Amino acid sequence: MVVLHLPRLLSFSLSRQTYSISKRTLTTLLHPPKSTLTTSEPNLELISTTITPKPQTLSLENIFIPPNTNVTENARILNGSNILLSNYATDAQIIQADFVKSSVRFEDCPSDGLPEFALVGRSNVGKSSLLNSIVRRKKLALTSKKPGKTQLINHFRINDSWYLVDLPGYGYASAPQELRKDWDKFTKDYFLNRSTLVSVFLLIDGSIPAKKIDLEYARWLGENQIPMTIIFTKCDKRKKKKNGEKNGGKKPEDNVNDFQELIRGYFETVPPWIMTSNVTHEGRDEVLLHMAQLRNYWLKH
Ligand code: GDP
C-alpha cells in the first residue's frame, strides 16, 4: 500500500508557532488544552476551571534534538513538548490501521523487520484512549484491563509500514505480587530484545503528581538505555488538592516539570516528552510527527 504524504497535517501542526533560539534559551508555550474541564471518571475530584497556558522557557539542554538535526535560528519546537522538529518528520498521517496479532512472548512478535513504537503505562493512564485517538478509531486497542488475564503484546500495523504496539498496563493495585513479577519479566524481555523497537512511549498521567511506580519504570528504561518518549496524558485536568496533601492541585505543566526533575539523573540526554489530552486531542499531531521523525531516521540508519 502506498503511504501518502499529507502536507495538511504538517502545515497545520508546524505553522502554529515559530520559535527563535537565542544563545542557550528557547521560549515556547506549553499548550494545555483550552477547554473547560470535563471528565468521564466519576471518582476523581476536579477543579472545574480552564487551565490557562503560560509561557515556559526551555533551555537548550532541556530540548530533545533529533539525530542529524541542526539547531538553527528557524528551528521549531512541537507544541506542548520539548521536541525539536527535524527534516525527518514526513509521512506522519495514519491512513490505515489493522490489528495483526497478539503475542505471548517477544519471540512470537511479527518478524518482518518493520519499525515499531510500544505504548506502556500504569493502568487507567489513558493508553487505550490515546491509541484509539491516534488511529482515529473508537475501538482498536485490545489490551485486557483485568489483571490476571493473559498478558499480551498486541501489534497494530500502520500504513502497511510500521507498528504500534500495545503492552499491558502496569501497577494494578489489586494484582497479586506473582502477577506483577510475570508482568515485569514479560515486558522487560520485550524491551531488551526487540531489535525493531524504535522508542517506548511511556504514558504518565499529567493531571497528578508523579507516582513512585512511574518513576521506577522511567529509571529502569534509562538505566537499560531503552529509547523512551514520555507522553503526559490527561493534560486537560488537574486533581483537586485534598487536606494535608503536599503536592495535590498542581497544574499539568508543573507535574510535567516535576517529573523531569525527578528523572533527570537516570538519562544521559534529556528524553523527549509531549503533553496530550484525549478530551481535546491536544498533542495528537505532535505524537504522530515525533513518531514520523524517529521512524524515518531509524529507517535510513
Ligand atoms: P487505560 O487503562 O490506560 O487503557 O486507560 P483508558 O484509556 O481506558 O482511560 C482510563 C480513564 O481515563 C477513562 O475513564 C477515560 O475516559 C479517562 N481518560 C483517558 N484519557 C483522558 C484524557 O486525556 N483526559 C481525561 N480527562 N480523561 C481521560
Side-chain angles (χ1 to χ4, degrees):
M1 118 141 240
V2 181
V3 180
L4 298 176
H5 172 70
L6 294 181
R8 190 203 64 78
L9 176 69
L10 280 176
S11 54
F12 169 71
S13 297
L14 307 184
S15 60
R16 277 192 277 184
Q17 279 167 314
T18 307
Y19 304 87
S20 60
I21 295 175
S22 65
K23 298 205 177 135
R24 297 183 65 72
T25 307
L26 196 70
T27 301
T28 180
L29 275 178
L30 289 178
H31 249 252
K34 304 151 202 96
S35 69
T36 303
L37 301 179
T38 56
T39 179
S40 48
E41 283 178 75
N43 293 335
L44 276 180
E45 296 171 291
L46 303 173
I47 298 172
S48 57
T49 51
T50 306
I51 297 172
T52 319
K54 72 168 198 235
Q56 301 269 325
T57 300
L58 284 175
S59 58
L60 202 49
E61 56 271 17
N62 287 329
I63 293 171
F64 172 77
I65 302 170
N68 267 10
T69 303
N70 294 326
V71 183
T72 64
E73 287 286 314
N74 298 323
R76 287 166 187 178
I77 298 276
L78 289 173
N79 270 348
S81 86
N82 70 335
I83 301 171
L84 197 74
L85 198 74
S86 79
N87 291 335
Y88 289 99
T90 61
D91 302 324
Q93 188 94 320
I94 290 186
I95 298 153
Q96 195 184 343
D98 303 296
F99 170 69
V100 177
K101 72 181 291 196
S102 295
S103 313
V104 179
R105 304 172 313 150
F106 81 89
E107 293 96 325
D108 304 326
C109 292
S111 55
D112 50 16
L114 295 178
E116 66 192 38
F117 300 95
L119 267 51
V120 69
R122 205 157 39 77
S123 73
N124 220 38
V125 71
K127 183 161 58 69
S128 316
S129 310
L130 182 79
L131 209 153
N132 290 323
S133 152
I134 290 178
V135 299
R136 291 192 197 274
R137 292 255 192 101
K138 284 233 165 72
K139 244 183 183 321
L140 190 71
L142 291 177
T143 301
S144 162
K145 294 201 167 173
K146 295 234 167 69
K149 291 214 171 158
T150 317
Q151 308 279 279
L152 297 170
I153 306 170
N154 295 310
H155 273 77
F156 300 92
R157 188 159 44 228
I158 310 297
N159 299 349
D160 264 348
S161 60
W162 55 282
Y163 289 109
L164 269 175
V165 182
D166 187 15
L167 295 173
Y170 58 81
Y172 288 100
S174 58
Q177 202 59 34
E178 268 315 295
L179 187 77
R180 289 190 211 167
K181 276 196 197 129
D182 276 3
W183 182 89
D184 262 20
K185 173 150 177 41
F186 166 85
T187 40
K188 286 178 179 172
D189 273 358
Y190 166 84
F191 291 142
L192 292 169
N193 296 296
R194 186 72 173 155
S195 60
T196 49
L197 178 64
V198 180
S199 177
V200 174
F201 277 55
L202 177 63
L203 273 58
I204 302 293
D205 189 337
S207 69
I208 54 171
K211 293 261 185 201
K212 191 166 164 249
I213 192 166
D214 291 331
L215 295 168
E216 282 169 3
Y217 213 88
R219 177 182 191 153
W220 185 88
L221 291 169
E223 286 176 353
N224 287 280
Q225 299 188 331
I226 313 281
M228 176 190 81
T229 299
I230 308 173
I231 302 295
F232 290 100
T233 62
K234 308 191 187 185
C235 291
D236 54 277
K237 70 178 194 182
R238 82 199 223 213
K239 206 177 166 190
K240 198 173 180 178
K241 189 174 177 126
K242 287 191 195 141
N243 280 350
E245 235 179 26
K246 264 198 207 148
N247 294 323
K250 286 195 171 182
K251 292 183 195 144
E253 306 93 296
D254 295 334
N255 291 327
V256 167
N257 288 338
D258 290 352
F259 199 87
Q260 307 305 313
E261 279 303 314
L262 290 164
I263 63 164
R264 191 175 294 277
Y266 308 149
F267 296 86
E268 276 172 26
T269 54
V270 63
W273 55 261
I274 306 174
M275 292 172 79
T276 68
S277 162
N278 290 315
V279 172
T280 63
H281 299 294
E282 191 79 26
R284 180 185 181 274
D285 291 351
E286 287 73 13
V287 167
L288 289 175
L289 284 165
H290 178 57
M291 284 180 172
Q293 62 184 9
L294 293 182
R295 194 172 65 236
N296 290 329
Y297 177 82
W298 187 91
L299 285 168
K300 291 199 170 103
H301 295 88

